[in-house]
């Protein structure tokens, strides 16, 4: 029995080391069992709308960082965002994730208007925002406008490691505070981190799990770090499939009721990555609903997949793929069972 919930930092780091080159059958089986106890074999789908790739921040790992002059920058208009939601509704989606860089063009008022309009048109849907660090007042306004969920990966729970990944004007303390505030305000909250980001140690990953244990988020986004050629980390190594699967499985054991996406990044480093993610305890996928013309410009990392089964338009292919691997696709709101 892997009793991760009662382990200390060193014990967790040891388990990570033991499984980093290949997650053990015992670990994967335990994660799947726990996931099945709470969610069965359902895989929940969310429509991802990447509505702006402008960003004021300079995270060293991210392809859309402010300093990258090679990005073809775009912003969707309110009408375009609403038609993505219409398209999603037509395809059967009941939840939309609006993600973007930290783009000051989108004032709180603009975001609230968009959320309010989607919610008024599709009252049964759940809306997730993923637009970075904001003030408590902004988060409150988004909630009042109808936003249900908020994704904000903490990226790393260790301060020294955080400093190696971000410019000095950003702070881990602020990011963590944002997460606790969002939780307090009643959002379903998603935290998360990259696996194999530069300078990351097994102890850092153990700290990520301990931070999640404390925060008790409703969702956790975990994917491998993948270098982007126009960033300071262009020459760094990427995160591996086995270590990512190990971290998914350990997160499932740490937070049995959490919603755990099998991420696009995982699907990018291995053609069967997402299926392998399900077999490590994941139970969410987020196909791309952004307009086809802008998809290639939301390049957080090199070779990001955005067509084929990754496209929301190919929802039937995705359904088949999910079913072929022994799961059942669920297009409902898919609320988290975490309180
Ligand atoms: N601006 C929003 C959304 C960020 S993009 C925010 O601050 O939350 C969503 C996620 O992509 C990030 O949180 C990060 O974990 C991930 N990401 C960025 N660059 C990446 C890379 N090179 N490889 C893998 N994941 C990356």
């Amino acid at each position: 029995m892997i009793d991760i919930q009662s382990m200390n930092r060193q014990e967790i780091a040891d388990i990570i080391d033991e499984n980093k080159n290949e997650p053990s059958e015992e670990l994967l089986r335990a994660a799947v069992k726990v996931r099945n106890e709470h969610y069965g074999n359902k895989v929940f789908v969310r429509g991802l709308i990447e509505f702006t790739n402008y960003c004021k921040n300079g995270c060293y790992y991210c392809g859309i960082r402010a300093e990258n002059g090679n990005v073809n920058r775009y912003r969707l208009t309110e009408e375009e965002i609403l038609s993505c939601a219409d398209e999603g509704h037509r395809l059967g989606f009941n939840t939309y994730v609006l993600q973007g860089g930290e783009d000051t063009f989108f004032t709180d008022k603009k975001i609230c208007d968009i959320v309010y309009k989607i919610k008024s048109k599709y009252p049964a849907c759940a809306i997730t925002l993923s637009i970075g660090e904001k003030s408590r007042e902004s988060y409150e306004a988004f909630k009042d406008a109808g936003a249900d969920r908020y994704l904000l990966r903490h990226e790393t729970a260790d301060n020294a490691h955080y400093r190696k990944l971000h410019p000095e004007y950003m702070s881990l303390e602020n990011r963590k505070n944002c997460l606790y505030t969002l939780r307090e305000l009643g959002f379903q909250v998603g935290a998360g981190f990259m696996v194999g980001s530069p300078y990351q140690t097994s102890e850092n990953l153990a700290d990520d799990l301990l931070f999640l244990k404390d925060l008790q988020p409703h969702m956790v986004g975990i994917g491998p770090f993948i270098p982007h050629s126009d960033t300071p980390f262009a020459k760094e190594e990427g995160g591996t499939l086995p270590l990512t699967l190990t971290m998914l499985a350990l997160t499932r054991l740490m937070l049995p009721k959490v919603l755990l996406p099998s991420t696009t990044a995982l699907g990018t480093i291995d053609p069967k990555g997402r299926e392998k993610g399900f077999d490590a305890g994941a139970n969410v996928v987020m196909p791309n609903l952004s307009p086809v013309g802008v998809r290639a410009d939301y390049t957080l990392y090199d070779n990001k997949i955005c067509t084929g089964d990754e496209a929301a338009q190919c929802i039937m292919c995705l359904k088949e793929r999910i079913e072929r691997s022994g799961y059942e696709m669920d297009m409902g709101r898919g609320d988290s069972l975490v309180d």
Side-chain angles (χ1 to χ4, degrees), residues 52 54-55 57 59-64 98-103 129-133 150-155 170 175 192-195 221 223-228 231 233 265 298-302:
T52 172
Y54 281 85
C55 191
N57 291 335
C59 307
Y60 302 151
Y61 46 82
C62 186
I64 63 167
L98 298 177
Q99 188 180 82
E102 292 207 12
D103 181 358
L129 291 176
S130 179
I131 53 175
E133 298 170 35
Y150 206 100
L151 299 180
L152 185 78
R153 291 186 178 179
H154 61 282
E155 314 295 1
M170 297 179 75
R175 207 154 176 96
F193 54 91
M194 290 175 289
V195 173
F225 159 70
I226 305 175
H228 185 291
T231 63
F233 289 161
Y298 198 82
T299 35
L300 306 175
Y301 44 82
D302 290 338

Side-chain angles (χ1 to χ4, degrees), residues 55 62-73 228-231:
C55 191
C62 186
I64 63 167
R65 64 200 300 270
E67 291 80 358
N68 185 2
N70 293 330
V71 183
N72 194 7
R73 303 280 172 181
H228 185 291
S229 50
D230 293 320
T231 63

